[in-house]
Amino acid sequence: MLDEYDKSLELGFEDELKFIVTSLSHVSQLILTSATHAMPIAPWLNFRNYRQIDFLKKDNISEDSKYEVIDNLEIYQVKSPVKDKLDTLRDLLCSLDDDAQVIVFSNYRESSERIAHYLSDHGIESSLYHGGLEQDMREKALARFRGNAIRVLVSTDLASRGLDIPDVSHIIHYHLPADEEAFVHRNGRTARAGASGTAYLIIGPEEFVPAYLAKEPKFFRIRPNGTFKPSSFVSIYIGRGKKDKISKGDVLGFLTKNGGIDGSQIGRIDIYERCAYCAVRREVAKNVVEKVKGLKIKGEKTHYLIVSGS
């Protein structure tokens, strides 16, 4: 299966796709997927016969738009009184449910960094995710967010495709999407697999609701000067990973045996090539790290560090 086939071509990976397809000549069935209407099928795919399957509900699409009205996705607009939307974003985040997982989308890397720094200065810890970061930094950001150690992910449209994070309940468009397709893919990070979700468009004084929306979204009333509740989990970094043949079971067993906690106090575990991240209840995390400090995991000493929360 070639996921996000259209985006791969758009970004100039045609040669790489050709190499993959020709290297898999023995494969009898090839599936191309996209959340939006894909580009025409390239001639070099050499499909003799194929079938196009469209899961969009035709009665939910307006005549002049390909955007689908998803039953379990609510869309709101939030008015920002000034062009700089940072204060409005903070008040919006403080108005959401205490356990909400939120992705904040901006159009530029520099803007994402500015948003993340502003939130940190105002007591809201977030993970920063964009293409300018090193791979290990992106892995760390996703691990903290997936493990619910961080409730807010600030990103460019890099996070709008290819990420399956089941618990994302809110999407915030800090910048209006560049086009309708970007809007579709951003919103696709929530309301997945039957779950419900909410998207918010922050509208500045010189901006308007995008014309491709069939109807103008309702206004969401924010609570100014609210407080933001941090996650009940933090993320622990373990300096061993797949190359050391570390598994999720190894991490779980190591922490329950040596850290003085049980499985109910451990959340998501992510194993990467050279490290692992484990979500642990905030109130026990420091004690766990103290107890395992200097101990070997699968016969090897390593570092154990809390990388989110306090």
Side-chain angles (χ1 to χ4, degrees):
M1 181 174 74
L2 298 179
D3 193 19
E4 304 292 1
Y5 159 76
D6 58 328
K7 191 65 175 180
S8 298
L9 289 180
E10 181 185 319
L11 294 175
F13 292 112
E14 183 170 353
D15 290 342
E16 289 80 357
L17 289 178
K18 282 183 181 179
F19 174 78
I20 292 171
V21 172
T22 54
S23 299
L24 299 174
S25 57
H26 62 285
V27 173
S28 60
Q29 186 177 65
L30 180 64
I31 300 174
L32 313 177
T33 67
S34 174
T36 53
H37 292 271
M39 293 180 176
I41 295 174
W44 49 262
L45 282 168
N46 198 27
F47 281 170
R48 286 186 292 273
N49 56 73
Y50 65 89
R51 181 182 176 191
Q52 183 172 340
I53 303 174
D54 192 342
F55 291 99
L56 294 180
K57 301 175 184 177
K58 302 302 182 185
D59 56 348
N60 275 1
I61 307 174
S62 61
E63 293 182 1
D64 57 350
S65 170
K66 63 177 177 288
Y67 180 68
E68 183 193 10
V69 180
I70 303 173
D71 294 336
N72 54 342
L73 175 68
E74 289 191 274
I75 301 176
Y76 290 95
Q77 60 175 305
V78 177
K79 286 292 187 181
S80 173
V82 294
K83 187 175 181 179
D84 191 333
K85 305 174 183 179
L86 289 173
D87 289 342
T88 301
L89 172 63
R90 179 192 178 278
D91 287 342
L92 173 55
L93 287 170
C94 292
S95 300
L96 303 180
D97 299 335
D98 286 344
D99 59 350
Q101 288 284 100
V102 187
I103 301 181
V104 179
F105 281 105
S106 78
N107 291 345
Y108 312 102
R109 295 176 181 177
E110 296 79 5
S111 299
S112 293
E113 293 179 357
R114 179 169 177 260
I115 291 167
H117 291 151
Y118 170 89
L119 293 179
S120 177
D121 291 341
H122 289 77
I124 301 177
E125 193 172 12
S126 64
S127 279
L128 178 64
Y129 185 78
H130 63 64
L133 299 173
E134 296 294 331
Q135 178 68 21
D136 62 333
M137 296 300 293
R138 295 199 301 271
E139 289 178 352
K140 176 182 174 181
L142 288 182
R144 297 165 81 199
F145 187 63
R146 281 195 178 112
N148 199 19
I150 295 292
R151 290 181 47 213
V152 180
L153 181 71
V154 180
S155 180
T156 59
D157 282 333
L158 180 66
S160 68
R161 296 178 183 240
L163 298 185
D164 184 14
I165 305 174
D167 297 327
V168 176
S169 51
H170 300 278
I171 299 298
I172 296 177
H173 302 275
Y174 180 85
H175 288 141
L176 296 182
D179 52 38
E180 180 179 3
E181 186 170 324
F183 184 63
V184 172
H185 282 283
R186 287 180 179 185
N187 291 343
R189 299 311 96 198
T190 189
R192 299 169 70 85
S196 60
T198 311
Y200 305 86
L201 293 153
I202 302 182
I203 309 294
E206 300 175 2
E207 294 178 322
F208 302 93
V209 172
Y212 50 74
L213 288 177
K215 61 180 180 180
E216 186 161 322
K218 296 179 290 186
F219 286 94
F220 183 81
R221 185 166 296 179
I222 59 178
R223 302 191 300 268
N225 304 315
T227 57
F228 187 85
K229 182 181 177 181
S231 172
S232 56
F233 285 85
V234 298
S235 188
I236 292 179
Y237 165 89
I238 300 170
R240 299 287 171 182
K242 292 178 182 177
K243 74 176 185 66
D244 307 292
K245 299 182 179 176
I246 297 293
S247 68
K248 293 182 181 181
D250 293 328
V251 173
L252 179 63
F254 176 78
L255 292 180
T256 53
K257 179 181 178 181
N258 302 290
I261 57 175
D262 58 47
S264 66
Q265 295 170 303
I266 296 176
R268 182 182 174 108
I269 300 171
D270 285 292
I271 310 292
Y272 294 97
E273 196 65 24
R274 298 180 179 275
C275 66
Y277 292 91
C278 179
V280 175
R281 297 288 301 184
R282 180 179 295 271
E283 63 270 16
V284 301
K286 282 186 178 179
N287 189 46
V288 169
V289 171
E290 284 299 317
K291 286 188 174 183
V292 301
K293 187 181 297 182
L295 297 183
K296 296 179 179 180
I297 181 169
K298 293 199 78 170
E300 297 286 344
K301 282 190 175 182
T302 188
H303 297 290
Y304 310 95
L305 303 170
I306 297 176
V307 294
S308 59
S310 57

